[in-house]
Amino acid sequence: GGFGSGGALLDSIAIYDPAANTWRHGTPMPTRRDHLGVATLGGRLFAIGGRPLDADRNFAAIEMFSPLTESWLALPPMPTARGGLGAVGMGREIHVVGGETSSSVFSEHEAFDPATASWTTLAPLPTARHGLAVAAVGNRIYVIGGGPQAGFAQTDLVEVYTPP
């Protein structure tokens, strides 16, 4: 995903083979978008949310790519449509946090369980933000940086979430 020359939205996926040190193109994403979140879980890739170059037209879409079958599958949409979000796979779930519109930022924290194809709303981020990094280390999720206001704001804040 993302956007290319002339501002065109992309649906492309590039796949790296570390053993051969080569790149190749995969089956394009069903939804063209930028500012999406991406996470991996169970050997699959999840493309989540994003927008069509307009911060007020965020998507709730989540699509799963299987490298074994080279195919995409649309899954139940997020409860909160958003772009500029962060996502990470941890345990059995994909955790999705933050995001923005043109005038506000999100503190939402939602988790998707691929085994049941269901969403759970969790405790919100202490600090709403977008454009953030998210990492799972051990049994903790680290929410790093991002913008606490819509647009080009930034922070060096790091917050930690420990799932129950």
Side-chain angles (χ1 to χ4, degrees), residues 83-87 97-99 106 125 127-134 142-147:
L85 63 148
V97 296
F106 292 96
L125 296 175
T127 307
R129 50 199 147 137
H130 67 95
L132 58 161
V134 185
Y142 293 82
V143 181
I144 306 158

Side-chain angles (χ1 to χ4, degrees), residues 83-100:
L85 63 148
V88 68
M90 180 177 178
R92 296 179 37 194
E93 299 177 313
I94 302 288
H95 289 259
V96 181
V97 296
E100 74 171 330

Side-chain angles (χ1 to χ4, degrees), residues 93-118:
E93 299 177 313
I94 302 288
H95 289 259
V96 181
V97 296
E100 74 171 330
T101 67
S102 66
S103 60
S104 64
V105 292
F106 292 96
S107 61
E108 276 75 4
H109 177 185
E110 297 158 346
F112 180 74
D113 183 339
T116 62
S118 63

Side-chain angles (χ1 to χ4, degrees), residues 2 16 24 28 30-31 39 44 49 63 67 70-71 81 98 111 114 117 126 129 134 136-137 141 144 149 152 159:
Y16 179 68
R24 66 179 177 82
T31 304
R44 296 165 294 173
E63 296 157 344
E70 285 280 329
S71 62
R129 50 199 147 137
V134 185
V137 180
I141 295 173
I144 306 158
Q149 295 92 28
F152 296 107
E159 294 171 332

Side-chain angles (χ1 to χ4, degrees), residues 14-110:
I15 301 170
Y16 179 68
D17 179 344
N21 192 28
T22 58
W23 287 91
R24 66 179 177 82
H25 291 284
T27 304
M29 286 191 304
T31 304
R32 291 176 182 266
R33 52 193 149 164
D34 74 328
H35 285 79
L36 65 151
V38 176
T40 60
L41 187 68
R44 296 165 294 173
L45 178 120
F46 296 81
I48 308 161
R51 60 188 184 222
L53 302 174
D54 180 346
D56 290 319
R57 294 181 45 214
N58 289 324
F59 296 130
I62 176 172
E63 296 157 344
M64 179 183 71
F65 178 75
S66 169
L68 297 176
T69 62
E70 285 280 329
S71 62
W72 288 91
L73 175 66
L75 299 169
M78 281 188 295
T80 307
R82 50 202 151 136
L85 63 148
V88 68
M90 180 177 178
R92 296 179 37 194
E93 299 177 313
I94 302 288
H95 289 259
V96 181
V97 296
E100 74 171 330
T101 67
S102 66
S103 60
S104 64
V105 292
F106 292 96
S107 61
E108 276 75 4
H109 177 185
E110 297 158 346

